[in-house]
Amino acid sequence: MTVLKTGLKADRPAIFSTINGRIYLTNDFDRIQAWDGVWSATRDAGIAAPAAVIGAGSQAAGNVTLGVHLVRYRYTDSTSPGGAYRSNPSTALSVTIATTTKQITFSVGASATDIIRSTDVKCDTIQIEATAAGGTNYYVVGTVLNAGVTSYVYNVSDTVLAAGELTSLYDDFGHEQPPAGAILTECRNYAFLGGAHARAVTVGVTSAGVTVTSAAALSTLWVGRLIRIGSEATQYLITAAASASSVTISPAYVGTTNASASAMVYAKNPNRIYWSKAGFPESFKAASRVRDVLNGRGDRLVAMTDFLGDLYLLGTRSIQRLVFVDDPLTGELNTIAGEFGVWTQRCLYGLDGALFGWGANGVWMMTGGRPRWISKPIDRTVAALVDTTKSDQFHATYDPKEKVLRWHFVATGDVNPKHSLAYDLQGERWCIDQWRQGLDAGVTVANANGTLRLAVADSANGRAWYSEGAADGVPASSSGDYTVGGSSTTTVIQVTGSSLPTGAGTDLAGTVLYDVTSAQERLVSSNTVSAITLSTALSAAPAIGSSVYVGAIPCVVQSDWHVFDGQEEKTRPPALWLKFVPQTAGTLRIEIYKDFSETPMTWTRSASEPNPKYATITNNGTFATLSLTSAATNDGFAVVPLFADWARAWRYKVTVLSPAGTLQLIDARFSFESKKDTGRETTE
């Protein structure tokens, strides 16, 4: 099992990007992480330069030409693509060869008199570089292993040296490690990094002091950012960061000493972007490869993406396009018409030559140079649900099996994304999905058979193929339904006739249990081979011999409001028609809503109106129960009479009460009586 990272901060989801065959992730706090798909853990992107000048070394008879030479070294990673990733060089040492030609022996170690070894695990080689006597151009003298070697001998003449590799060919001082950033993407073989989060932290400050402390809540990469403490108007510049628990500020703190003051850290230039050297996504040069974007827009940079060969820069309500060929610094910035944007980088999705995004002004689609608003039918419904204060958790996923794009969001009252607005690409239809667990992330990948599938991760750290099997998110070894045994309580459900799956990562912990008797759902906290422990008690112990389901049961499909003849007209549907892939098991619950009411209608039928063969309607109840085991529904078609009065607007909700089989609803619609066929009123 590969550990991607254990130290990334959870308050801001990491942004991923695939560049040059490696996966990179950033979160605006930790160093950008890199993973090549093989390493057992991620690694810090880039290579830190040597912290000290090379030691003086000792001279003996040899071939180094008389004169003054400059000697330095840098770290390299031979496992990188092409073996080309390297650090910036150290400060140069001036070495004088005074009388006769010499060789110079440098020690390799950890002391100040050595060529100091790198502590970075990916740096396996140290490269030594030097100038010819009196020269300014550096050439590669040779290399030495970063581990297991205690010395290196420099012993070549200037003639041999000048025939070697010039270090200027790979940009001597253009290999800084990437700075902190919230967004990462690739465009035209450059890695672009930008954006910044404003972060609330609790700090300790001393009046007239220049040190700010915190319990590992500060980043060592925040040098140059601003911090505001308490309600003060003063903005303090972070000038140094010794550790994740201590930074230095300027000017000195002017407020009152406080061991737990509220503070806010933010960037001076939140719309600033940086880019790497072309082809070197881990080599940056912050002083010159930098540019501010979205200027004059009054907006904040939250996303970047490559689209049709240009870099698109997105705020929450605006979009710019950077058009360049060889140098992003001199490229042209164009503002895209419209006021569309995205909540976060994860709300962007590129698919089949189109770019989709969701932001405060709805979902848009772009196939050329201008976005087109596509979510108008559902925007009002979504706006009433969504909690925009938790927008950092919003993200898009694509289900290639059903050809559906979803934008997962946190609804008011929730803490993680349990809802999504879903767009059917083929039917151009919208709906809102809901889950029992929050879906935190998803990615479209190929399964073992080479078929594209959506894999999702939930808030309980469960991972599963989406839309695979009757109980998504439940271990494959679980049957999904179990029979309650004796001695069951409201919190511990004994199971008879089946063995439950156990083992870390393969048990039922974090899944949802549905008790058929009480129609209640509870999270599973743990289980043994024969018992399930719930995190919250049921209202009553389930009956012996009854069923409990483990998985996303029940599933609910709810339509939008149907208004047919206009608000001024009333219509009466005699029935709800359901079409589904034929199956021989399962139970559905049908609820009908009228005239924009949030309460389901009461079903009223006379004694002369019998129940249909496959549906049970309780008089004066609020729902009908439809059995799929009836021979009348084996063809995948059912008609449920409504016995309802006239109304202006109608809505249905279909709930799957039994997980038997895999119900696939094809269509559901109301059938309406024509008013001209209902008879005329007469008077006496």
Side-chain angles (χ1 to χ4, degrees):
M1 179 177 180
T2 299
V3 178
L4 291 183
K5 184 67 174 176
T6 57
L8 287 172
K9 302 301 175 182
D11 57 343
R12 294 292 190 273
I15 299 301
F16 290 75
S17 184
T18 302
I19 310 172
N20 273 15
R22 289 182 175 181
I23 295 176
Y24 293 90
L25 55 154
T26 185
N27 66 348
D28 199 34
F29 187 100
D30 303 277
R31 181 73 66 188
I32 288 179
Q33 294 296 294
W35 186 54
D36 71 348
V38 178
W39 299 331
S40 60
T42 61
R43 301 175 178 179
D44 287 352
I47 305 173
V53 67
I54 195 170
S58 60
Q59 297 184 11
N63 299 317
V64 179
T65 305
L66 294 175
V68 178
H69 300 260
L70 299 178
V71 184
R72 66 187 188 188
Y73 65 104
R74 73 174 81 213
Y75 306 127
T76 62
D77 172 14
S78 67
T79 67
S80 62
Y85 287 7
R86 52 180 62 85
S87 74
N88 275 342
S90 68
T91 301
L93 169 73
S94 179
V95 178
T96 301
I97 307 299
T99 54
T100 59
T101 57
K102 304 286 187 182
Q103 68 177 21
I104 311 169
T105 301
F106 298 103
S107 58
V108 179
S111 71
T113 60
D114 296 326
I115 295 174
I116 301 176
R117 295 190 179 104
S118 173
T119 58
D120 192 329
V121 295
K122 65 177 175 289
C123 296
D124 55 0
T125 309
I126 303 172
Q127 179 173 292
I128 292 84
E129 304 166 357
T131 66
T136 58
N137 294 324
Y138 284 89
Y139 297 87
V140 176
V141 177
T143 60
V144 62
L145 293 177
N146 189 55
V149 177
T150 59
S151 64
Y152 175 78
V153 179
Y154 170 24
N155 189 28
V156 295
S157 67
D158 283 356
T159 301
V160 175
L161 185 66
E165 181 183 1
L166 268 171
T167 63
S168 59
L169 297 176
Y170 46 74
D171 189 5
D172 283 354
F173 289 91
H175 297 278
E176 299 171 13
Q177 287 182 283
I183 315 162
L184 181 66
T185 195
E186 184 271 342
C187 182
R188 292 186 176 272
N189 213 23
Y190 292 86
F192 285 88
L193 177 68
H197 293 302
R199 293 181 184 255
V201 295
T202 300
V203 298
V205 286
T206 303
S207 181
V210 296
T211 300
V212 174
T213 60
S214 182
L218 306 172
S219 172
T220 56
L221 305 181
W222 284 350
V223 174
R225 297 206 174 179
L226 301 173
I227 181 169
R228 180 171 287 168
I229 301 168
S231 58
E232 288 187 50
T234 305
Q235 299 178 103
Y236 299 94
L237 178 67
I238 298 177
T239 58
S243 68
S245 58
S246 176
V247 299
T248 302
I249 60 172
S250 178
Y253 177 58
V254 298
T256 304
T257 297
N258 190 337
S260 57
S262 298
M264 184 68 69
V265 179
Y266 52 96
K268 290 192 297 183
N269 306 97
N271 292 344
R272 179 160 289 179
I273 63 171
Y274 304 88
W275 54 90
S276 70
K277 183 181 179 182
F280 291 77
E282 301 181 32
S283 297
F284 283 72
K285 194 172 185 179
S288 58
R289 299 180 195 143
V290 59
R291 185 168 184 172
D292 291 335
V293 298
L294 298 184
N295 294 325
R297 305 297 300 170
D299 204 354
R300 179 173 61 90
L301 180 68
V302 296
M304 299 186 293
T305 189
D306 174 15
F307 183 58
L308 302 178
D310 297 326
L311 181 68
Y312 281 71
L313 306 137
L314 300 97
T316 57
R317 60 182 186 279
S318 59
I319 305 175
Q320 283 188 334
R321 178 178 62 212
L322 178 60
V323 182
F324 69 96
V325 178
D326 296 321
D327 187 0
L329 186 63
T330 59
E332 181 180 353
L333 270 175
N334 299 320
T335 297
I336 305 299
E339 294 185 344
F340 290 104
V342 290
W343 296 110
T344 69
Q345 176 82 7
R346 300 201 301 160
C347 288
L348 279 174
Y349 205 98
L351 182 66
D352 292 338
L355 183 65
F356 295 84
W358 177 44
N361 290 329
V363 179
W364 49 268
M365 172 186 179
M366 187 156 50
T367 54
R370 186 171 182 175
R372 177 170 59 90
W373 183 27
I374 62 173
S375 63
K376 184 178 180 180
I378 203 170
D379 277 348
R380 180 174 295 182
T381 303
V382 173
L385 294 174
V386 67
D387 183 353
T388 59
T389 64
K390 297 183 176 68
S391 61
D392 282 321
Q393 299 184 58
F394 298 178
H395 63 279
T397 61
Y398 174 61
D399 178 7
K401 186 176 181 180
E402 299 295 335
K403 303 297 186 291
V404 172
L405 260 173
R406 288 181 174 87
W407 284 268
H408 301 263
F409 63 89
V410 182
T412 301
D414 287 339
V415 296
N416 43 42
K418 294 182 179 179
H419 292 72
S420 77
L421 60 155
Y423 182 52
D424 179 353
L425 294 174
Q426 293 179 316
E428 296 185 350
R429 294 174 294 189
W430 290 95
C431 68
I432 295 177
D433 294 332
Q434 185 176 359
W435 290 269
R436 271 66 188 171
Q437 285 280 36
L439 294 185
D440 294 333
V443 62
T444 301
V445 293
N447 63 13
N449 297 321
T451 304
L452 280 179
R453 286 290 181 264
L454 170 62
V456 295
D458 65 23
S459 54
N461 294 322
R463 297 167 298 280
W465 294 113
Y466 181 83
S467 191
E468 293 271 343
D472 289 349
V474 177
S477 55
S478 170
S479 63
D481 60 295
Y482 298 99
T483 302
V484 177
S487 303
S488 292
T489 69
T490 57
T491 55
V492 180
I493 312 299
Q494 302 293 333
V495 172
T496 181
S498 301
S499 294
L500 302 172
T502 58
T506 61
D507 58 12
L508 303 179
T511 59
V512 177
L513 178 140
Y514 176 67
D515 175 30
V516 176
T517 303
S518 63
Q520 292 179 325
E521 296 176 336
R522 297 291 187 267
L523 282 176
V524 176
S525 60
S526 63
N527 71 274
T528 63
V529 174
S530 59
I532 300 172
T533 300
L534 306 178
S535 58
T536 305
L538 295 164
S539 59
I544 298 174
S546 64
S547 295
V548 292
Y549 299 128
V550 177
I553 306 297
C555 174
V556 179
V557 178
Q558 180 172 285
S559 73
D560 203 350
W561 287 101
H562 292 70
V563 182
F564 285 81
D565 289 338
Q567 291 285 350
E568 77 285 355
E569 296 289 337
K570 290 187 177 182
T571 54
R572 180 184 181 184
L576 176 67
W577 295 24
L578 300 175
K579 299 177 184 178
F580 48 88
V581 176
Q583 66 177 69
T584 58
T587 304
L588 305 182
R589 174 176 291 176
I590 313 296
E591 293 171 284
I592 304 297
Y593 299 80
K594 298 166 54 177
D595 288 338
F596 304 103
S597 172
E598 296 300 320
T599 303
M601 77 170 194
T602 300
W603 297 66
T604 304
R605 62 181 178 85
S606 66
S608 62
E609 296 177 304
N611 279 316
K613 295 179 180 179
Y614 44 81
T616 301
I617 300 174
T618 302
N619 207 26
N620 297 320
T622 58
F623 60 86
T625 303
L626 178 64
S627 172
L628 301 181
T629 60
S630 169
T633 61
N634 285 349
D635 59 355
F637 183 79
V639 181
V640 182
L642 301 184
F643 313 113
D645 293 329
W646 303 105
R648 290 187 173 90
W650 298 85
R651 166 185 267 175
Y652 64 80
K653 182 163 79 172
V654 179
T655 304
V656 181
L657 297 182
S658 169
T662 303
L663 179 66
Q664 298 182 55
L665 188 64
I666 299 174
D667 196 10
R669 63 183 179 87
F670 291 105
S671 174
F672 287 88
E673 289 183 353
S674 172
K675 285 193 172 184
K676 67 181 180 180
D677 296 330
T678 59
R680 295 182 177 180
E681 294 183 2
T682 60
T683 58
E684 294 182 353

